[in-house]
Amino acid sequence: MTYEELIERLDPAVYQSLKKAIELGKWPDGRIISPEQRAICMEAVLHYESLHNIPEHDRVGYIDRKKADGDACGPDDGTSPIRILN
């Protein structure tokens, strides 16, 4: 079975468990997740979300860029008011 096939067949409950483990930094049984395990889980979760068309607002790392009144918080035209100084 390839990685792609594994992610395609991943049970939604396992996906949720992986998301929770990433969020809390520990497995459901309380063991701490190593940095390597966290990276692998994150990769699997992101791949799962992409393959299964999870809505953007439900994805890991989603940031709502709208103000309470519905206006955007910043420009989406690629410009940024932040300058990086070298």
Side-chain angles (χ1 to χ4, degrees):
M1 178 181 301
T2 68
Y3 181 77
E4 289 260 339
E5 292 170 335
L6 178 66
I7 298 301
E8 286 175 16
R9 296 179 184 166
L10 192 65
D11 183 80
V14 173
Y15 159 73
Q16 291 295 333
S17 181
L18 291 174
K19 277 180 61 173
K20 185 62 109 180
I22 293 166
E23 177 184 346
L24 299 177
K26 60 183 177 179
W27 296 112
D29 65 3
R31 290 178 295 136
I32 301 296
I33 294 177
S34 72
E36 296 83 15
Q37 290 171 328
R38 179 174 267 166
I40 291 168
C41 289
M42 181 63 81
E43 183 179 341
V45 165
L46 292 174
H47 198 74
Y48 178 93
E49 290 174 345
S50 176
L51 283 176
H52 294 277
N53 298 317
I54 303 297
E56 185 178 86
H57 62 276
D58 290 335
R59 293 183 181 194
V60 168
Y62 173 75
I63 298 174
D64 186 4
R65 297 186 65 195
K66 301 246 187 270
K67 297 180 191 173
D69 63 6
D71 290 338
C73 291
D76 283 338
D77 60 3
T79 62
S80 174
I82 299 173
R83 289 183 24 196
I84 299 174
L85 302 174
N86 292 341

